Amino acid sequence: MDRAAPATPPDIIATDLIPAPLAACIAALCGTAARISTLIARGPLGGTLGAAVGANTDGDQQKELDLMADAAFADALRGTGVRHHASEERHSIGTIDPEGGLALAIDPLDGSSNIDVNVSIGTIFSIYPAARTPEASFLRDTAEQIGAGYFIYGPQTALIVTFGAGVQHYVLDPETRRFILANDRVAIPPQSIEFAINASNYRHWPQPIRAYIDDCIAGDTGPRAKNFNMRWVASLVAETHRIMMRGGIFLYPSDSRKGYERGRLRMVYECAPIAMLIEQAGGRATDGTLPILSQVAASLHARTPFVFGSAEKVDRVAAYHDLPDEEVSALFGSRGLFRA
Ligand SMILES: O=P(O)(O)OC[C@H]1O[C@](O)(COP(=O)(O)O)[C@@H](O)[C@@H]1O
Ligand SMILES: [Mg+2]
Ligand SMILES: [Mg+2]
């Protein structure tokens, strides 16, 4: 990353909460995230980061910053024990350290449509023990993750990370350039009136999702008998961070558009790690009905419908899928089962 600031200080994240076999890998991710954060903060002064430069395997537009972040993380991971490396921006799985014991999947830059508009974006990562083959390292039960996290580049740059024993929140101190522990046990608040969904796709959604959202929008005139508030940042990391801090629910369901039969978000490097974080923070993450943790991606870039957040809300979405057809298709005034 040419336009980057200083190299990784050895104590970029001084904590004893990171398992020893993962420490070098996490330090490398932190050092790179700190440099990316400096670049993002320069905005237009840093160059044409938001310029479109091509398309990835999925046909998604790639921005200059997507590719710079991808290269920077891959470079930094050399010598940190990562054998298999999968990225949203790469067609196939690469080998970094042939003798390494880890497999790391990464969405190097999440929410890239927000680069130009100074809205929070992020990096998502998922870590497994390396398996015998590259495919076996990632096409496996998502419950086998040994670490998962995201960096959010917003008004603050922060790391939210889990190693399977709760969720830790670190904030990058812009003066010392170190990630400082802010909370060693993040817990998702169970109550919130916020839901997040791209409502412009309403006409394409399956009926149970429409019914759930109809009932939120009906507010105190509907079966829920209370008012809700809607949010949509179009940046999965930003939505996740809000839910981690304040509770609520996120939905990106499957829909009837071509290419959205399994939703939009990718299992290996978006949904699996976010699901591990959410469950470790006391929330729930499903594909609408079934838990994400315990599913196996069909392919490296496979997508999945994704619903996560406060546990009671996610369970309620699953319950809408169990309603008889006549009840789920009824106008909210006739839906009686879910009075809050
Ligand atoms: O534009 P849409 O359909 O609302 O989709 C928004 C979603 O797409 C994403 O931007 C996909 O991630 P990438 O930017 O890594 O491709 C998510 O962050 C976000 O939740
Ligand atoms: Mg993404
Ligand atoms: Mg991305």
Side-chain angles (χ1 to χ4, degrees), residues 179-263:
F179 282 86
I180 310 296
L181 185 65
N183 183 356
D184 65 358
R185 196 151 275 275
V186 176
I188 297 176
Q191 301 300 333
S192 162
I193 55 163
E194 291 176 338
F195 64 95
I197 192 164
N198 183 340
S200 67
N201 298 322
Y202 179 91
R203 68 191 183 287
H204 305 296
W205 296 336
Q207 196 57 47
I209 300 294
R210 281 199 217 184
Y212 177 83
I213 298 298
D214 283 347
D215 290 354
C216 292
I217 290 173
D220 59 11
T221 67
R224 305 288 299 274
K226 64 178 177 191
N227 294 325
F228 292 85
N229 208 345
M230 197 182 84
R231 296 280 180 266
W232 190 249
V233 187
S235 187
L236 176 63
V237 161
E239 321 272 12
T240 308
H241 201 65
R242 185 187 60 250
I243 288 171
M244 282 284 183
M245 299 296 125
R246 218 157 67 182
I249 186 167
F250 171 100
L251 306 96
Y252 208 120
S254 58
D255 70 48
S256 61
R257 288 173 295 164
K258 192 166 171 349
Y260 286 76
E261 299 83 359
R262 300 279 306 150

Side-chain angles (χ1 to χ4, degrees), residues 126 139 199 208:
S126 160
L139 306 185

Side-chain angles (χ1 to χ4, degrees), residues 47-54 61-66 115-116:
T48 53
L49 300 178
V53 290
Q61 196 184 68
Q62 287 173 311
K63 305 261 177 91
E64 187 179 342
L65 188 58
D66 283 315
I115 295 170
D116 291 338

